[in-house]
Amino acid sequence: MKRRKIDLAQAPVNFAKGADDRFQGATPLRGLLNKVFPDHWSFLLGEIALFSFIVLLLSGVFLTLFFDPSMKEIAYDGSYLGLRGTEMSAAYASSLHLSFEVRGGLFMRQMHHWAALLFMASIIVHMARVFFTGAFRKPREVNWVIGILLFLLGFFAGFTGYSLPDDGLSGTGLRIASAIMLTLPVIGTWLSAAIFGGEFPGELIIGRFYIAHVLLIPGILLGLIAAHLGIVFKQKHTQWPGPMRTNENVVGERMFPRYAMKQGGFFMAVFGVIALMAGLFQINPIWLFGPYRASEVSSASQPDFYVMFMDGLVRLMPNWQIYIFNYSLPPMFWPAVVGLGALFTLPLAYPWLEARKLKDKRLHHLLERPRDNPERVGIGMMAFSFFMVATISGSNDVIADKFHISLNAMTWAGRIGLLILPPLAYYISVRICLGLQQHDRQVLAHGVETGIIKRLPNGQFIEVHQPLGPVDEHGHPVPLEYAGWVVPKKMNRVGALAPAVKGFFFPVEKPAEVPVSPAVGGPVKREEIKSGR
Amino acid sequence: MTAVHHAGEAGTPPVDVNDPHLTRFDIVKEGLRRDDIEIVTYESQFHGQNSKAEKRVVRNIALLFAISGVLTLAFIVFYIVWPWEFELGHTRSDYFTPILGLTLGFGLLALGYGILAWAKKLLPHELSIQQRHGDPSSDEERLITGQTALFVADELGVQRRPLLKGAIALGLAPVGIAIAAPIVGGLIENPHKGDLPMMYTTGFNPGNNGGELVRLTREDGSPIRPEDVTTGGQMTVFPGIPHGATNHWADSPTLLIHLRADDAAETRRNAESDKNGRNVGSMWGNFVAFSKICTHAGCPASLYEQQTNRLLCPCHQSQFLITNNAQPVFGPATRRLPMLPLTVDEEGFFVAASDFKDTVGPDFWERP
């Protein structure tokens, strides 16, 4: 019998062969390794949300190992003396236990909370990027919708999450949530009774929120995130316009190794920042709030920042109650139910509304600079200023207290600001966009200002302009077409001056970087500009 | 290796990948060609192999990885050895969480920057162009798929068999409802059931105390005499029934206020001339009691401003004027705070003469 020789070098080859025999993966794998990604810093904002979500899953699993989602009243006997002997729910006691008696528990709790804030913040910034660059246009409308659903789910994940410790602050939040449900016409009392299992607060809500927070919502989030990324992968990422870039191609670098490595490094950096915040910045010190008591609340009871816009809208709403025969519609119904609904459904429909207005049915893979669609920027800034006024109003009592402003004046400022600022923001941002466009066109037509002043024989002073393109027989620049992309506006952008020395400790020894892409032309030759040229 | 490889035009002929003369990069390029990718530039960031600059970058990356290793190791060591259990006062355990954050945070940051530097400074720069191929399916394909789908519907024959159509609608609909019913049905609670419907009664209802009037008590359950509250002072009171001060009676906390004589006179005047008469006779001497639960969103309206006799709810800043039946004077609340009818029992303790006559708590649709 011949003994088989084991060739270790051949092992991976055999493994790969075997895998391909069974799953036919060679061709798709090559496609994956070769896939080209366009690169721009603003494309990484969504990644921060993804990475925060991973941190949330990891830290959240740890927290579940210690948290007891029960509202059974017990007397606290842990190591925090300030509350010893106090009657509190088992949920609050286990949150305190997690903070004081579990090694690294406070660190994990703060990491979970900071990651949640970062998750929501990066979703907002990512959405702003997508909106202002027109990345939501056909064929990406569905992904825009998924993105908004992700924000909405994140909102509810956050709310259910900060309700769980059952401290004074979270109980107040629950109380307001119940009041919001009560404002619904006809079904209000029934809805609140169904969710709380009877009268507020009941004994079930923490357990119900717990299963929603650790299973239902993250499950849906996970599915939607997978769909979100899958669609990006299938449709290929959008790219900025620029040299060589068309609506039919993707210009960038292959996913492996460089792009994937940058993603991995970025993940570690995001994770590092969250860890730093978790260790250094205190967040939600529940032991200072005490257990929830229906009779107690402190001033400065603020929700997390992504809920503050809603709280602000509720504060600003005038007390206009509608009576219909023997029934009443409380004023809170408008900001909390109709307002929240509109704030989500209008953006959901926006891609189709814009396409309908512009009669635009084409596929768009090239982004638009904000200035090239002033109308959209105006609408976006209108929404953003509305959101900001509402968010700031959500903490108007703290602002009034710290800056010694009358609280009522803050409320009135918010009410007026909510109506005045959005149209103002619309007007200003549209004008800014048009101005920026105008300046781009001006430089394309006349060239870059050199800063060199020339006196003509007739005594007139003129500034010399460096044309960006060819000149006609009189020396006047031939106007260049507006391409919707960066126009160099300073002489050192067109190679007049050597770039500043780069590098922290050592000057980098390579020559000046090639502008945008090599197609523009290799390293530029420099010569001194003399006045009077 | 400063080399600029210009891949051929899109129409370059395929190469024989089994040709032994091909380099590995040639085979990679053949793969790229098949994936409709063109490498425009692919160049090293350094002049020549092993240049000084390259060595320096490699050294820096190695240093970052080493820092990361040291810091994460420190994280583990501190996690194990540093005193971490909470103690009162200023102790070394106060620094446990910050140390974990600093070591892990900077450790991960160093690792992240190391990887980023590797990718950005060490790997060759490239510029590739891939064709999108985002074209929709051809009309022919659409037609075939559409017809196939319609054929499937034809095969079922629901269109031709109206009896089945009705059977689906009538016969199978209950199945869907049957799945939903236990999930939804189990949750439903009638908010208006019982002799003491929860939306309209509080712990001060004599029905919760075997028909006896309910005493006003402190949080610890002790009853209150009029002289326990100083003039101009106030006190949060709870119904004197078992668990009266717990969240089980979340709508019952009440604010008992001992007004100064002139304020009390004004309050009484306004209460006695109350339009719907509910507050008539509810004061006892210079004492008045209002529900603490804000009629807006249900937070305790607990900030009492003695000078102006206003109650402020810290959640949404509704303000109520005590001397005028606690009518809202600012903010989003529409309805006044309900007044608790006060009296004193034969032992000299405060009792509620009846439950609140206005509905306590946030407003809702069917409130009469």
Side-chain angles (χ1 to χ4, degrees):
Chain A
M1 203 166 89
K2 212 171 143 190
R3 200 148 157 219
R4 266 183 74 189
K5 247 173 126 182
I6 298 170
D7 184 1
L8 272 181
Q10 204 58 24
V13 177
N14 289 333
F15 177 81
K17 270 184 190 152
D20 191 64
D21 285 345
R22 290 167 180 85
F23 308 112
Q24 298 82 41
T27 316
L29 180 63
R30 189 194 68 220
L32 184 74
L33 290 170
N34 280 345
K35 190 176 173 60
V36 174
F37 269 89
D39 209 359
H40 189 261
W41 64 267
S42 69
F43 300 165
L44 294 176
L45 297 168
E47 308 284 318
I48 302 177
L50 177 68
F51 299 150
S52 318
F53 185 69
I54 297 172
V55 176
L56 279 170
L57 289 183
L58 295 177
S59 55
V61 168
F62 175 86
L63 298 182
T64 62
L65 303 179
F66 300 93
F67 180 70
D68 174 15
S70 153
M71 295 178 85
K72 200 166 56 126
E73 287 278 317
I74 55 169
Y76 180 70
D77 63 346
S79 55
Y80 185 67
L81 295 175
L83 288 170
R84 208 172 265 181
T86 310
E87 288 279 322
M88 59 179 63
S89 67
Y92 184 53
S94 67
S95 305
L96 292 173
H97 172 73
L98 187 53
S99 308
F100 290 119
E101 281 123 299
V102 174
R103 192 191 285 247
L106 181 62
F107 182 62
M108 293 299 256
R109 237 198 72 217
Q110 301 200 134
M111 182 178 272
H112 194 69
H113 207 141
W114 276 120
L117 295 195
L118 194 63
F119 178 66
M120 293 306 284
S122 51
I123 287 181
I124 293 173
V125 181
H126 173 59
M127 271 171 72
R129 193 284 291 179
V130 168
F131 183 85
F132 287 116
T133 61
F136 57 81
R137 291 175 296 172
K138 189 177 173 185
R140 294 182 177 77
E141 306 99 319
V142 172
N143 234 11
W144 167 256
V145 169
I146 293 178
I148 289 176
L149 294 180
L150 284 174
F151 179 84
L152 189 60
L153 279 168
F155 180 91
F156 286 117
F159 179 72
T160 51
Y162 77 68
S163 294
L164 289 182
D166 204 22
D167 58 291
L169 205 53
S170 59
T172 305
L174 280 173
R175 173 75 260 198
I176 298 170
S178 155
I180 290 171
M181 291 173 210
L182 288 177
T183 65
L184 282 170
V186 188
I187 58 163
T189 45
W190 290 81
L191 181 68
S192 175
I195 287 180
F196 286 89
E199 191 171 15
F200 171 87
E203 272 132 27
L204 299 169
I205 190 66
I206 297 290
R208 287 178 179 178
F209 269 28
Y210 182 67
I211 199 67
H213 182 77
V214 303
L215 177 72
L216 303 178
I217 297 174
I220 304 171
L221 271 176
L222 208 56
L224 284 181
I225 288 173
H228 200 68
L229 295 178
I231 292 174
V232 170
F233 206 82
K234 169 74 182 70
Q235 295 182 333
K236 298 197 174 79
H237 207 286
T238 50
Q239 61 185 350
W240 288 105
M244 294 189 290
R245 296 175 185 182
T246 69
N247 211 22
E248 276 78 42
N249 69 12
V250 183
V251 177
E253 54 192 16
R254 286 167 301 147
M255 189 144 111
F256 289 94
R258 203 156 175 258
Y259 191 78
M261 271 182 85
K262 284 203 266 188
Q263 299 275 306
F266 191 42
F267 179 26
M268 287 302 121
V270 170
F271 200 166
V273 170
I274 296 174
L276 274 179
M277 292 201 289
L280 297 180
F281 308 138
Q282 186 179 65
I283 187 164
N284 202 17
I286 50 167
W287 54 93
L288 298 181
F289 306 143
Y292 173 60
R293 293 263 179 273
S295 58
E296 289 167 15
V297 71
S298 66
S299 65
S301 297
Q302 256 69 34
D304 278 351
F305 85 91
Y306 48 86
V307 184
M308 256 160 67
F309 75 93
M310 208 169 110
D311 206 47
L313 289 179
V314 169
R315 290 171 187 216
L316 296 184
M317 181 72 196
N319 60 349
W320 299 334
Q321 184 138 345
I322 296 173
Y323 296 97
I324 307 158
F325 303 110
N326 272 334
Y327 300 102
S328 57
L329 192 56
M332 195 163 52
F333 176 71
W334 302 106
V337 181
V338 176
L340 188 70
L343 277 173
F344 282 103
T345 44
L346 288 180
L348 276 182
Y350 187 79
W352 287 279
L353 295 177
E354 190 190 271
R356 198 188 163 101
K357 178 158 185 282
L358 300 174
K359 296 191 175 59
D360 180 7
K361 288 186 176 164
R362 287 166 303 147
L363 296 173
H364 296 277
H365 299 297
L366 284 179
L367 297 171
E368 258 180 326
R369 289 187 304 163
R371 70 184 67 172
D372 294 328
N373 196 329
E375 198 95 318
R376 181 193 298 142
V377 175
I379 291 172
M381 289 309 291
M382 202 153 80
F384 185 69
S385 53
F386 187 87
F387 182 81
M388 282 313 289
V389 173
T391 299
I392 291 170
S393 295
S395 59
N396 59 3
D397 55 332
V398 178
I399 295 170
D401 180 41
K402 299 291 173 207
F403 293 96
H404 302 287
I405 303 169
S406 150
L407 184 56
N408 297 8
M410 277 301 296
T411 303
W412 273 109
R415 284 174 179 171
I416 296 166
L418 208 56
L419 296 177
I420 301 273
L421 283 185
L424 205 64
Y426 176 86
Y427 178 78
I428 293 172
S429 44
V430 167
R431 298 312 301 178
I432 289 176
C433 288
L434 291 175
L436 288 169
Q437 249 188 61
Q438 195 80 355
H439 191 239
D440 281 1
R441 290 177 202 278
Q442 188 190 332
V443 173
L444 285 171
H446 302 296
V448 182
E449 292 173 354
T450 57
I452 296 166
I453 309 293
K454 188 169 158 185
R455 189 178 181 191
L456 298 183
N458 61 7
Q460 183 192 1
F461 288 98
I462 58 159
E463 182 175 8
V464 179
H465 282 71
Q466 167 66 50
L468 286 174
V471 289
D472 61 14
E473 61 268 26
H474 302 294
H476 297 306
V478 180
L480 296 166
E481 208 188 330
Y482 186 81
W485 185 233
V486 179
V487 175
K489 291 182 175 176
K490 289 197 173 125
M491 283 308 286
N492 51 2
R493 293 260 173 230
V494 291
L497 303 161
V501 172
K502 280 174 72 179
F504 194 73
F505 291 115
F506 308 94
V508 173
E509 57 185 49
K510 73 171 181 174
E513 206 156 330
V514 183
V516 190
S517 89
V520 177
V524 201
K525 271 192 201 148
R526 300 170 209 294
E527 58 183 67
E528 200 187 340
I529 305 172
K530 298 178 192 77
S531 69
R533 196 171 79 151
Chain B
M1 33 164 245
T2 315
V4 181
H5 301 273
H6 277 282
E9 310 303 309
T12 42
V15 297
D16 175 17
V17 290
N18 292 318
D19 184 350
H21 300 296
L22 290 182
T23 62
R24 188 172 277 170
F25 190 67
D26 287 331
I27 297 176
V28 169
K29 278 199 291 187
E30 170 60 14
L32 292 172
R33 195 192 61 79
R34 291 183 185 187
D35 287 333
D36 246 336
I37 297 167
E38 182 191 349
I39 288 203
V40 181
T41 58
Y42 185 81
E43 55 186 300
S44 165
Q45 306 200 42
F46 305 101
H47 298 291
Q49 245 163 353
N50 281 325
S51 70
K52 258 174 96 175
E54 182 176 349
K55 279 183 184 156
R56 192 172 61 236
V57 172
V58 170
R59 264 201 315 276
N60 285 345
I61 294 171
L63 180 67
L64 280 167
F65 284 165
I67 293 173
S68 167
V70 169
L71 283 172
T72 39
L73 195 67
F75 171 80
I76 298 166
V77 170
F78 281 119
Y79 181 82
I80 294 168
V81 303
W82 194 268
W84 60 274
E85 279 176 308
F86 175 78
E87 282 170 77
L88 203 64
H90 194 70
T91 60
R92 288 208 301 154
S93 65
D94 293 357
Y95 300 101
F96 183 65
T97 301
I99 286 172
L100 292 190
L102 285 171
T103 48
L104 186 63
F106 281 117
L108 289 171
L109 274 177
L111 176 60
Y113 278 106
I115 297 173
L116 284 172
W118 188 338
K120 289 183 79 125
K121 307 250 165 173
L122 213 53
L123 294 184
H125 266 202
E126 75 169 66
L127 189 79
S128 304
I129 303 181
Q130 182 169 28
Q131 297 306 311
R132 272 189 192 273
H133 296 302
D135 304 328
S137 323
S138 70
D139 286 345
E140 206 181 10
E141 286 292 321
R142 289 177 174 186
L143 182 97
I144 294 172
T145 310
Q147 291 299 327
T148 310
L150 290 175
F151 184 73
V152 171
D154 284 346
E155 278 180 307
L156 288 173
V158 178
Q159 286 294 335
R160 293 184 287 114
R161 302 175 181 123
L163 184 63
L164 271 179
K165 226 191 269 185
I168 290 174
L170 292 174
L172 295 185
V175 176
I177 300 170
I179 295 166
I183 300 171
V184 179
L187 287 173
I188 292 177
E189 292 273 340
N190 184 351
H192 305 302
K193 68 180 173 203
D195 298 332
L196 303 168
M198 67 182 206
M199 301 307 296
Y200 304 111
T201 58
T202 71
F204 288 107
N205 194 304
N208 293 313
N209 199 22
E212 306 259 319
L213 294 187
V214 180
R215 275 182 177 162
L216 276 55
T217 59
R218 297 184 182 84
E219 196 166 0
D220 60 7
S222 57
I224 299 153
R225 293 179 189 280
E227 55 269 29
D228 293 345
V229 188
T230 53
T231 310
Q234 39 102 18
M235 182 187 273
T236 301
V237 297
F238 303 88
I241 52 174
H243 308 293
T246 66
N247 287 341
H248 183 70
W249 300 103
D251 53 0
S252 303
T254 300
L255 199 65
L256 177 67
I257 306 169
H258 188 176
L259 294 161
R260 290 182 295 262
D262 48 340
D263 292 334
E266 190 188 345
T267 310
R268 183 179 299 278
R269 201 165 51 245
N270 285 325
E272 294 307 316
S273 57
D274 182 18
K275 273 194 200 117
N276 58 25
R278 288 184 189 147
N279 286 354
V280 174
S282 290
M283 284 181 73
W284 188 87
N286 290 346
F287 290 85
V288 67
F290 289 107
S291 165
K292 219 178 163 179
I293 307 303
C294 182
T295 55
H296 174 238
C299 295
S302 54
L303 302 182
Y304 176 50
E305 211 176 43
Q306 227 185 59
Q307 297 300 316
T308 57
N309 282 312
R310 282 184 182 194
L311 269 180
L312 174 89
C313 176
C315 285
H316 304 106
Q317 288 91 45
S318 294
Q319 291 158 35
F320 304 91
L321 190 60
I322 296 298
T323 50
N324 185 18
N325 294 309
Q327 289 286 354
V329 286
F330 191 83
T334 320
R335 212 155 53 84
R336 65 186 189 185
L337 294 174
M339 195 187 275
L340 184 68
L342 284 180
T343 185
V344 168
D345 63 10
E346 56 270 27
E347 288 175 58
F349 294 114
F350 272 123
V351 290
S354 74
D355 202 348
F356 290 96
K357 290 176 183 165
D358 287 331
T359 311
V360 168
D363 237 332
F364 50 93
W365 176 250
E366 55 271 57
R367 183 183 60 83

